[in-house]
Every structure is written in structure tokens, then in C-alpha cells.
Amino acid sequence: MKSMDIFSAQKRIAKIGATGFAARWRAPIAPALALLAILAVTVTILLVLFRHENALQRNQLMRDMQSIEVSVTRELLADQQFVDRLAFELAERRDANAYFVLQAEEYVRQRPAIANISWNSVSSDTHLYAPQSRARADILSERPAMEELERIMRLTEATERGTYTNVYRDYQQHSYLEYHSPVAHNQTQLGTISVTYPLHRLAELLVPANFTNRYSVAIMESDIATKREQAETINDNLSQSVALTLPWRDVRLVATLLKTESSLTPRILAALTLAMAAFITWSLLALRKHVKRRDEADLALVASHERFETVTEALDAAVYVADLKSNEVLFANETCRQFFSNASLNLEAGADVSAIESGFDAAPSRIFAASTLIDADGKHLGVQKDEFFHRTSNRWYLLRAKCIQWVDGRVARMHMASDITDRKQTDELNRQQQEKLLLTSRLLTVGEMASTLAHEINQPLSAIASYNQGCVRRLRSGAWDAEEIASTLEKASAQAERAGQVIQRVREFLRNREPTRTAHNVNDVMSGVAKLVELEAEQAQVELKLKLHADLRPVLMDRIMVEQVVLNLVKNAIEAMKNTNLLSRSLTMTTLPSGDDVVEVSITDQGHGITAESEAELFKPFFTTKPEGMGIGLNICRSIVELHEGRLWFSRNAGAGSTFRFTLPVAA
Ligand code: ADP
């Protein structure tokens, strides 16, 4: 069987099964691509930022180099001028030594970049220096080697101009540079005045502080400076060198950009981006795991729905599911179409459940309202059921309803309808049969009663006749007493009344009608029946005992029917005692409350009792041990009691005879 193609939930499920997985796989790929794109863009931006910052820094460095060069050159030139002037003046002065000390001492104090100023005589016998506060040994340690001094001496003599020494190192490998200016008198070289610069500290002493904060500045020989600049470029550090125009000396000023905070920003950005990418990757993996779990759950759902479909399709009952709120049909099996289908039944997608339910004589959506299926806290209640007649198919259905959660999470009501038309018809036939039996039984009982009734009516009639004759006799004799006559006539009319009552009861009993249940006291029924069988009991010499409970709650019953049950049981009891010992023929009619809401009636005799063989057949129709018996009395009695939701049974007495009991529920 194939299920109807009308239900969106099924389609949704189908989608999960077919295209859902592809869509779910696309889901993590899209963010992955987006992540890659973000990364690419961020890396590009970072590169551009790096380049831009590099270019800015390089420009800045070049500008700064110019300033540094100007500043350093100015300082060195100022020193050159001072030394040149001092050398010139000393050549002319007699107090040259004192003058040197004075001037040099004063100048060296103002110029921290200068390690010392020395007067170097040609003969090397005089060596004056400033500052004199320093030890001679210290001064000498920062001076060039003798050969270099001699070379400079010769050079200055030849050129008659100041010059710089080569860069030289002390024993600590600190490099130094000196400027020498010749002191000559009358074409005779007397020596030189030199100023010594500690090159390793020169930059820091000469370069303004605002540059040294940002650059590491050094003055070094050209070839070393070039090598250093190349190395820095390879290391990607910004470095720039510029030649200082010093006489006879090719030295260069090298500035290398220090790592500043500003250059850290792009790195921090890059680190943040990487962290972000790592976080997004982690999120993606988590998302994928989650999606996988959902897929598995969906698959399980699909499988369970398929099972549900297979089971419902195999059922010989119509099953349909509708949204509790919107009444939209979510599922219906093929049997639904067979049961309720007609030309006008709309089974298109999203159909309203009324398409299925409109054929019922009562609306299931009203009978099984949401409040009967689900409580105030949203808890699903148990299965509800009711019988419905379906007009269109002209059949009876037992409709069960239950609240369920549908696959897509919606709260729905699920119905299962089973065809109970055959059972209904059988029930009706049974009911009619019972009715007929009841009537037959009544007629039979009345037939049996006819002879005793004749006797009963005959009794008062003969009594009336004898009372009348007595009166007539007294009146004729002339010796009569009015009071006596009146009393006799009253007795006669009482007898007539009794006969009338008997007839009235028989008429009532015979009236054929539908059972009607009204509240009655069972005691009244018992007394009524007792009166009815009074005569019969008398004839059978059976003593009737009534033990009626004084405080009985009323019972909802068809009085005539219940009377018939009691009558039947009492007559059976009398008949059971017909051939027993005359002394022990008593019949007890008892009423008792049993529990809070049941009344129990019992008829106890001292008759021949019931054999084990009879017991099995007792309530079966047409079982009788009597020659004129019909054998339907007990069967009808049990049906009537059960019709009143009661129970009828019998038990053997401890002594002789048996007791028949039945219960009836009290009126609510
Ligand atoms: P009927 O009275 O026409 O036989 P019933 O269905 O009333 O039909 O009774 C069936 C049989 O049950 C009787 O024939 C009798 O054998 C037995 N029976 C009924 N009531 C009693 C009783 N009180 N004591 C002994 N036997 C009884």
C-alpha cells in the first residue's frame, strides 16, 4: 500500500532524506569559504599596511638622516674650526703651553663628544692634553699608534692642512677617530693639535636625543658602513647610511630604525586575525559536529516515521493525524481513503481535517477537544474513545484519539477509527431479541399466573358473595342490626377493592413498553411482589418472610422489569419447596445495602436445591427441570439485572435450599 501524497510533514521528512544532507554539507563549506576570503582580505590589508608603514618609515629615515648629518657635520666642523684656530694661535704665542691648556680645557668641558684634545709635538717630547683631570694613561690608551701619529704628522706637514686619522681601536675594541691640525712656525712643523673622538659613543653624544630614541646611530668607516647597511636590509631592518664629508677621511653615518611600538601594531593585528581565524575554524568544526548529530537524529526520525507508516498502512483501521491548533491534516493512511473517501473528499496538500471528519454525525474535533487530550501543563493525557456514526459511508466507527508530538515538533491529535458496524448490528439484534424474550416471558408468566389469578380473584368474589348473602339473609329475617350490616358491606367492598388491585397489577404488568428507568426503593418492589404471590405461597403452604433494610438508597430502575426478576425468583423458590417437608417451607426476601452504592437483594428458600449438573446449565436459555417449565426465566432475569449494571448469582444454603442474589447500583 502506498500512503497518500498529501501531507507536508511527510514531504518535509522526505526532504531531510533526499536533499537535506547535501544542503547540510553545503552549510559548513559556505562559512569556510567566507573565512578564507576574510583571511585573504586581512592578509592583503596587513601586507599593504606593512608596505605603507615601511615606505613611511623609509621616507622619515631619509629625512631624519639629513638632519642628523647636518647636525653631526656642524658639530665636527665647529671642532675643526676650534682646533685649526688653536693651532694657528699657538704657533705665534710664547705662552703656548699655558694657552693650550686654558683653551683646550675650556673647550673640552663644553664638548662631551670629545675624549681629549692633545698637543702632539713633532719630536714627541711634549704631550699636553686636556682635560687634565684625566689620567695620562687613560688619555694615551685612546690615542692612535705611534706610526699613525707619524703618518698624520707627515701628512699635515705636507698639506699644511688639518686631517683625520684612520679609525683605530683601543684594547677594548672601542673605535676612535682623531682630527689633527698642524702647528707650524715659519714653515717649520712644530706638531699637531688633535681632538679625539670615541667613535663608539660619538653618535650618541652628537646626535640629538629625539633621533637616538628612534634610531641606533653609528659613525663608521665607509666599507664597514656599507656592509652593515646591506646586512640590515637583508634582516628587513630599516637602515640608511650617509657619507660624512670630512677632510681625508671617508666615514659614514649609519642609522638603523629601532623597533618602535608603531611597528608592532600590524603584528598585533596579524596575531589577532590568526586568533580569530583559529576561533572561527574551531566554531566551524563544532558546527559540523552538531550538524552531523542532527543528521543522525533526522535519519532516526525518518526511520521511525517509516516504521510508523508501515505499521499504520498494515492496519485494518483508518489512521489520521491532524495539527491540534490549525486542524491541518499531517498524515492519513490508505484505509482512511477506503473508509471515508467520497467524490467530494478533499485530500490535497494541507487539507483541513474537516475533509475527513465532516461525514461524522458529531464533530470529533469538538468531542476530543484539546482540553481532553492535553492538560494545562501541556502533558499528554491518555487515549480517549467514542463511537461515531459516519453518514456518508453509513457505518459506525469507534474513534480513538490521542495527543502526540509530530515529527516536525508540532502537537497533533492522532485518530484511529475501527469499523464497528457489525458489532453494533449484533448488539441491536441482541437487544431486540432480549426485548422479545422479555415479552414472551411476561406472557408466559402471566399465562402461568392466570389460573392462580382466577383463584385469587375468585376468593374475594366468593367472599363478596357470602358477605352479600349474609346481609340479604339478615334483612329478610327482619332481625338485623344496621351497624352489623354496614360492617359486613364494608368487608365486601374491601374484598372487591382487592380483586380490582389484582386486576390492575396484571394489566400494568402486561403493558408492553420500552424500559424506562426511574428512582425507586427496592423495598417497594419486594413488598409489591410479596403481595402478588401471597395467594400462591398460601396454597403451597410456604411462609413468606420479608427482611427489608429500613434505610436503603433509591435505585435507578425499570420497576416492572425488576419486579419481574423478583417475581421469577420467588416463584422458582416456591416451586422448589412444593414437595419438601411442610414444616420447613419458608421463603425469605431480604434487602441490604452492600457497600456505599449498591443494594443487594436475596431470595432464600429451603427447597430441593440445585445439583452440580444443573448449575452449569442454570442460566442457559431453555434449561428447565420442570415438566411445564420454559427454562428462560433465569436467563431473562440475568439480562435484566445486567441491563441495570448489576450482577445475578446463586449460592447453596448451609442447610437446605438455595439463595439467589442480585445487586443494583444506587442512583447517583
Ligand atoms: P423454569 O422455571 O421455567 O424452569 P427458570 O429459568 O426460571 O425456568 O429455571 C430453570 C431451572 O433452574 C429450573 O427448572 C430449576 O430446575 C432451577 N431452579 C431455578 N430456581 C431454583 C431454586 N430456587 N431452587 C432449585 N432449583 C431452581
Side-chain angles (χ1 to χ4, degrees):
M1 268 195 270
K2 226 188 133 5
S3 176
M4 296 179 200
D5 58 340
I6 62 169
F7 307 116
S8 54
Q10 270 172 295
K11 283 184 180 167
R12 241 192 309 273
I13 290 294
K15 260 191 218 157
I16 294 170
T19 59
F21 299 119
R24 269 144 209 269
W25 266 108
R26 270 202 302 279
I29 288 173
L33 288 177
L35 172 67
L36 279 179
I38 290 171
L39 276 176
V41 169
T42 317
V43 168
T44 315
I45 290 173
L46 282 175
L47 279 177
V48 170
L49 268 177
F50 270 125
R51 287 238 173 112
H52 182 66
E53 171 139 334
N54 221 296
L56 280 179
Q57 285 174 339
R58 199 170 284 282
N59 282 345
Q60 184 65 38
L61 177 60
M62 277 160 74
R63 275 199 303 278
D64 288 348
M65 273 310 273
Q66 282 168 3
S67 307
I68 295 168
E69 185 201 350
V70 166
S71 149
V72 171
T73 313
R74 193 178 56 225
E75 299 288 325
L76 292 177
L77 278 178
D79 292 346
Q80 273 181 44
Q81 280 169 6
F82 168 75
V83 175
D84 287 349
R85 188 178 53 79
L86 187 61
F88 178 74
E89 284 176 356
L90 286 179
E92 303 299 326
R93 295 186 79 108
R94 286 219 195 116
D95 58 343
N97 284 0
Y99 188 71
F100 168 80
V101 172
L102 188 73
Q103 290 289 316
E105 198 71 37
E106 170 65 19
Y107 195 75
V108 88
R109 201 165 46 81
Q110 293 167 18
R111 308 286 294 174
I114 297 172
N116 67 75
I117 300 174
S118 298
W119 184 355
N120 317 292
S121 65
V122 175
S123 55
S124 306
D125 55 355
T126 315
H127 178 224
L128 288 176
Y129 64 88
Q132 293 205 322
S133 55
R134 295 184 61 199
R136 173 175 282 263
D138 288 349
I139 301 288
L140 286 178
S141 73
E142 54 197 27
R143 299 301 313 276
M146 193 54 73
E147 304 85 65
E148 179 65 0
L149 279 177
E150 283 169 6
R151 187 183 70 80
I152 291 295
M153 207 61 84
R154 283 194 300 276
L155 189 65
T156 47
E157 187 177 6
T159 58
E160 295 179 8
R161 292 184 60 192
T163 190
Y164 282 84
T165 61
N166 285 325
V167 175
Y168 59 90
R169 286 185 167 70
D170 67 1
Y171 68 96
Q172 284 180 306
Q173 293 302 309
H174 291 148
S175 46
Y176 293 86
L177 181 71
E178 286 191 343
Y179 174 73
H180 286 250
S181 188
V183 183
H185 186 67
N186 295 337
Q187 310 287 315
T188 311
Q189 169 99 344
L190 299 176
T192 61
I193 301 294
S194 66
V195 53
T196 310
Y197 296 107
L199 267 194
H200 63 283
R201 294 201 302 132
L202 192 61
E204 104 192 37
L205 295 169
L206 285 185
V207 177
N210 59 330
F211 293 120
T212 49
N213 286 344
R214 297 172 57 207
Y215 306 107
S216 111
V217 184
I219 296 170
M220 52 188 77
E221 282 161 299
S222 284
D223 52 343
I224 298 176
T226 314
K227 274 185 206 153
R228 163 120 174 229
E229 196 179 355
Q230 282 166 356
E232 298 289 15
T233 314
I234 290 163
N235 288 342
D236 204 23
N237 287 331
L238 274 182
S239 188
Q240 181 89 29
S241 78
V242 65
L244 290 178
T245 37
L246 303 177
W248 305 105
R249 188 52 45 218
D250 191 9
V251 288
R252 290 180 83 85
L253 186 69
V254 182
T256 306
L257 185 72
L258 294 171
K259 299 270 179 269
T260 58
E261 270 180 27
S262 69
S263 66
L264 280 178
T265 316
R267 282 184 171 79
I268 291 170
L269 268 177
L272 281 177
T273 312
L274 282 176
M276 194 175 77
F279 176 71
I280 295 177
T281 312
W282 174 79
S283 312
L284 269 176
L285 288 175
L287 180 71
R288 226 181 105 176
K289 212 165 149 191
H290 176 73
V291 166
K292 205 173 150 203
R293 253 192 254 129
R294 267 197 61 180
D295 283 345
E296 281 165 8
D298 282 344
L299 267 180
L301 203 62
V302 171
S304 110
H305 189 82
E306 274 170 5
R307 276 200 298 278
F308 168 79
E309 235 179 60
T310 315
V311 170
T312 48
E313 290 303 356
L315 281 179
D316 196 20
V319 177
Y320 64 93
V321 181
D323 188 310
L324 194 64
K325 278 197 189 127
S326 68
N327 278 331
E328 180 194 340
V329 178
L330 302 174
F331 173 83
N333 69 353
E334 191 60 25
T335 319
C336 234
R337 191 187 286 280
Q338 290 166 7
F339 276 8
F340 312 124
S341 189
N342 63 45
S344 63
L345 188 59
N346 172 23
L347 291 177
E348 290 307 310
D352 193 278
V353 75
S354 62
I356 293 174
E357 293 181 341
S358 60
F360 290 117
D361 57 347
S365 55
R366 188 171 45 77
I367 310 273
F368 304 127
S371 57
T372 64
L373 303 174
I374 200 165
D375 69 8
D377 302 331
K379 211 176 117 212
H380 295 185
L381 301 172
V383 178
Q384 307 289 315
K385 54 185 176 185
D386 210 340
E387 293 177 357
F388 291 82
F389 180 68
H390 195 259
R391 290 183 302 265
T392 353
S393 59
N394 202 23
R395 311 279 299 172
W396 277 94
Y397 294 101
L398 175 69
L399 202 57
R400 290 184 175 84
K402 185 166 172 20
C403 204
I404 59 164
Q405 183 146 26
W406 194 236
V407 278
D408 56 3
R410 283 195 270 183
V411 180
R413 58 184 164 101
M414 184 172 97
H415 292 286
M416 182 186 273
S418 350
D419 192 332
I420 53 163
T421 316
D422 293 346
R423 199 203 76 202
K424 274 271 181 195
Q425 282 169 354
T426 314
D427 284 355
E428 179 58 19
L429 274 177
N430 277 347
R431 200 186 60 76
Q432 287 171 6
Q433 196 70 21
Q434 293 282 2
E435 282 287 302
K436 272 190 202 148
L437 276 174
L438 211 57
L439 181 65
T440 319
S441 154
R442 258 186 232 128
L443 291 174
L444 285 170
T445 316
V446 170
E448 282 175 28
M449 282 170 63
S451 57
T452 45
L453 270 177
H455 180 77
E456 195 176 345
I457 292 166
N458 202 32
Q459 255 191 346
L461 281 181
S462 38
I464 291 166
S466 63
Y467 286 136
N468 269 347
Q469 279 168 10
C471 284
V472 170
R473 245 194 336 269
R474 283 203 179 89
L475 285 172
R476 287 228 173 99
S477 70
W480 53 275
D481 174 33
E483 190 52 38
E484 201 180 6
I485 296 282
S487 146
T488 312
L489 283 177
E490 267 171 10
K491 281 181 187 161
S493 69
Q495 287 297 330
E497 211 169 289
R498 187 181 156 204
Q501 276 174 359
V502 172
I503 290 164
Q504 177 64 27
R505 213 169 296 134
V506 172
R507 274 168 78 185
E508 251 179 44
F509 191 73
L510 271 179
R511 211 164 55 207
N512 185 14
R513 56 179 182 70
E514 290 292 308
T516 46
R517 292 172 73 173
T518 41
H520 292 284
N521 194 322
V522 181
N523 289 345
D524 298 342
V525 177
M526 299 293 264
S527 334
V529 173
K531 275 203 187 98
L532 217 55
V533 295
E534 217 170 43
L535 199 62
E536 193 177 338
E538 214 174 286
Q539 283 174 347
Q541 294 178 290
V542 169
E543 186 194 0
L544 261 185
K545 288 181 192 166
L546 278 173
K547 285 189 184 170
L548 306 179
H549 193 274
D551 196 16
L552 278 190
R553 288 173 66 189
V555 168
L556 214 52
M557 63 166 120
D558 184 305
R559 183 172 171 151
I560 300 293
M561 282 185 171
V562 177
E563 265 179 2
Q564 195 192 338
V565 173
V566 180
L567 183 65
N568 202 67
L569 297 178
V570 169
K571 281 166 76 67
N572 278 350
I574 293 173
E575 278 164 16
M577 290 189 284
K578 261 188 182 154
N579 300 319
T580 54
N581 187 346
L582 270 177
L583 294 176
S584 57
R585 286 189 193 171
S586 84
L587 188 158
T588 316
M589 300 168 72
T590 317
T591 56
L592 264 180
S594 164
D596 278 350
D597 38 17
V598 171
V599 171
E600 187 180 293
V601 176
S602 56
I603 315 293
T604 308
D605 63 56
Q606 291 180 305
H608 54 66
I610 293 162
T611 61
E613 301 85 65
S614 302
E615 185 181 341
E617 306 292 314
L618 209 56
F619 291 96
K620 289 189 180 159
F622 311 116
F623 167 76
T624 181
T625 54
K626 301 167 195 166
E628 306 87 27
M630 287 287 289
I632 52 171
L634 283 179
N635 180 265
I636 290 171
C637 287
R638 181 170 268 185
S639 302
I640 291 174
V641 170
E642 282 171 3
L643 194 76
H644 285 78
E645 290 128 51
R647 197 164 73 84
L648 190 152
W649 73 102
F650 96 96
S651 57
R652 294 192 178 86
N653 295 338
S658 37
T659 300
F660 279 78
R661 293 173 211 275
F662 68 89
T663 55
L664 291 173
V666 300

